[in-house]
């Protein structure tokens, strides 16, 4: 098996310079891309890619790879396609809009995620389609989120039908995000994966990686040579007795309002990020997506530490 997963926003800290998207000058996508690649090329390598990323999602990725007896490739929004053992620089960049280190915040022209992905991989002379073609006898398990699917779909469309038949796309709760030709590789995971009876609950941020672990453990290990249609049917059958958990209704609040709540509840949460998020969602029933919460929490933490 060839396993390809996605990077995570959470990364370990290393001494030395960290590349931040917010430090880039504003410009056209071509100009911003050129400057980012220049920064990456001159940056010091600090760790193997598998040791840079952290958080629940990446832990699940490494676990799935271990079960499948392979080492993962990683789709990085800042570096392109990297292998787990590639030495990489420390960086913070995301393609998700309206976040602190979003590359889209620096681009003054319409942003094209597929062009960004192509440019990242040009110097490395890598692509998903080439990687999959080179391993012509292997099933390829690809863990994707919606944002990353929009970034790499054109790359995947370069596959011929035979190569595409070996691809399994896991982690998208909605098949319509994929072009028609790629939908044949789609594995039908949905919110039933979050049923407590299954024993692998989590957030939407780590949904693709949790779905991947489920696929490796409960589908692929038992049926390693089955085709995509059979694998999809096995996924559906595995989820058929499960139920989608009821999601409680939570209040919508502005960043300023949530920041005030975090400050007021700082002692109650003992200054701990995970405890604060649980408090906001469970006790105070406030809606706050995890990436947004992390940004606001870190802002408050920095303010408190500065005194």
């Amino acid at each position: 098996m060839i396993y390809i997963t996605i990077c995570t926003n959470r990364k370990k800290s290393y001494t030395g310079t960290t590349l931040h998207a917010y430090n880039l000058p504003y410009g056209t996508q071509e100009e911003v891309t050129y400057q980012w690649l220049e920064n990456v090329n001159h940056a010091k390598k600090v760790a193997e890619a598998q040791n840079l990323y952290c958080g629940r999602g990446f832990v699940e990725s490494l676990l799935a790879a271990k079960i499948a007896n392979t080492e993962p490739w990683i789709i990085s929004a800042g570096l392109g396609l990297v292998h787990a053992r590639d030495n990489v620089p420390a960086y913070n960049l995301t393609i998700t809009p309206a976040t602190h280190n979003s590359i889209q915040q620096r681009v003054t022209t319409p942003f094209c995620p597929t062009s960004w992905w192509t440019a990242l991989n040009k110097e490395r002379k890598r692509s998903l389609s080439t990687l999959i073609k080179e391993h012509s006898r292997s099933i390829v398990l690809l863990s994707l989120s919606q944002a990353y699917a929009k970034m790499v779909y054109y790359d995947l469309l370069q596959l011929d039908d035979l190569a595409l038949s070996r691809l399994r796309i896991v982690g998208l709760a909605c098949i319509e995000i994929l072009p028609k030709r790629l939908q044949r590789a789609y594995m039908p995971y949905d919110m039933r994966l979050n049923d407590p009876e299954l024993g692998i609950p989590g957030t939407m941020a780590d949904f693709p990686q949790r779905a991947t672990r489920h696929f490796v453990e409960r589908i692929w290990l038992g049926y390693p040579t089955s085709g995509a249609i059979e694998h999809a049917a096995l996924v559906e059958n595995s989820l058929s007795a499960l139920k989608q958990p009821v999601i409680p209704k939570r209040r919508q609040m502005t960043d300023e309002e949530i920041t005030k709540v975090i400050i007021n509840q700082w002692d109650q949460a003992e200054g701990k990020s995970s405890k604060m998020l649980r408090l906001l969602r469970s006790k105070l029933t406030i809606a706050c997506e995890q990436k947004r919460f992390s940004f606001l929490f870190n802002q408050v933490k920095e303010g408190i530490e500065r005194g």
Side-chain angles (χ1 to χ4, degrees), residues 13-299:
S13 297
Y14 288 90
T15 56
T17 301
T18 297
L19 304 177
H20 294 282
Y22 64 72
N23 285 331
L24 290 168
Y26 293 102
T28 65
Q29 182 164 337
E30 290 76 14
E31 291 168 340
V32 174
T33 300
Y34 174 81
Q35 188 59 60
W36 176 256
L37 292 176
E38 281 289 294
N39 294 350
V40 169
N41 289 336
H42 290 92
K44 178 183 177 182
K45 308 294 192 298
V46 298
E48 290 184 346
Q50 63 184 345
N51 295 325
L52 178 65
Y53 304 104
C54 58
R56 166 74 184 277
F58 202 69
V59 169
E60 292 285 353
S61 292
L62 293 178
L63 180 57
K66 184 177 181 180
I67 295 169
N69 194 30
T70 189
E71 292 180 325
W73 287 82
I74 303 160
I75 297 173
S76 165
L79 304 176
L81 182 61
V82 296
H83 188 266
R85 294 194 179 276
D86 284 348
N87 289 313
V88 297
Y91 75 98
N92 279 307
L93 181 147
T94 179
I95 58 171
T96 305
T99 55
H100 192 45
N101 269 299
S102 172
I103 193 63
Q104 296 196 47
Q105 298 288 344
R106 317 312 294 178
V107 175
T108 57
T109 53
F111 181 75
C112 177
T114 58
S115 295
W116 174 256
W117 176 247
T118 299
L120 287 178
N121 289 294
K122 187 174 182 179
E123 288 192 27
R124 289 177 175 269
K125 297 181 180 179
R126 286 177 176 173
S127 69
L128 291 172
S129 54
T130 300
L131 175 65
I132 294 170
K133 290 172 185 175
E134 287 175 347
H135 295 82
S136 58
R137 296 186 177 182
S138 299
I139 290 292
V140 179
L141 181 58
L142 175 58
S143 177
L144 282 181
S145 65
Q146 290 195 24
Y148 280 71
K150 293 176 182 177
M151 186 171 69
V152 305
Y153 80 86
Y154 182 77
D155 190 347
L156 296 173
L157 286 174
Q158 308 313 304
L159 295 171
D160 59 28
D161 287 347
L162 184 59
L164 191 56
S165 71
R166 296 184 288 106
L167 181 63
R168 309 288 182 269
I169 297 176
V170 177
L172 296 173
C174 177
I175 191 173
E176 286 74 19
I177 197 70
L178 294 172
K180 283 287 185 182
R181 189 163 175 268
L182 298 181
Q183 291 181 11
R184 68 185 75 177
Y186 174 81
M187 298 294 105
Y189 283 95
D190 56 34
M191 296 305 104
R192 290 174 293 177
L193 185 74
N194 295 330
D195 190 326
E197 292 294 324
L198 194 57
I200 49 173
T203 67
M204 286 308 298
D206 53 47
F207 181 87
Q209 297 92 339
R210 289 185 292 116
T212 298
R213 178 160 72 93
H214 180 274
F215 182 85
V216 172
E217 284 185 326
R218 311 194 189 195
I219 308 298
W220 181 77
L221 280 181
Y223 304 89
T225 61
S226 294
I229 294 175
E230 292 85 358
H231 277 156
L234 288 165
V235 170
E236 180 59 43
N237 183 63
S238 179
L239 299 177
S240 61
L242 303 176
K243 295 180 180 179
Q244 177 178 336
V246 176
I247 300 175
K249 292 184 178 180
R250 297 189 175 102
R251 291 176 290 157
Q252 298 292 330
M253 299 179 73
T254 66
D255 286 358
E256 183 179 357
E257 290 170 334
I258 292 177
T259 297
K260 289 181 180 178
V261 173
I262 292 174
I263 293 171
N264 291 335
Q265 299 295 326
W266 190 261
D267 291 339
Q268 180 71 20
E270 300 175 351
K272 296 178 179 178
S273 174
S274 58
K275 193 169 183 179
M276 182 71 74
L277 184 57
R278 287 196 301 271
L279 194 153
L280 258 64
R281 288 177 172 174
S282 300
K283 185 177 180 180
L284 303 177
T285 61
I286 296 171
C288 190
E289 189 268 335
Q290 190 164 3
K291 292 178 183 177
R292 179 188 179 206
F293 166 77
S294 296
F295 176 64
L296 297 176
F297 180 88
N298 288 331
Q299 278 192 323

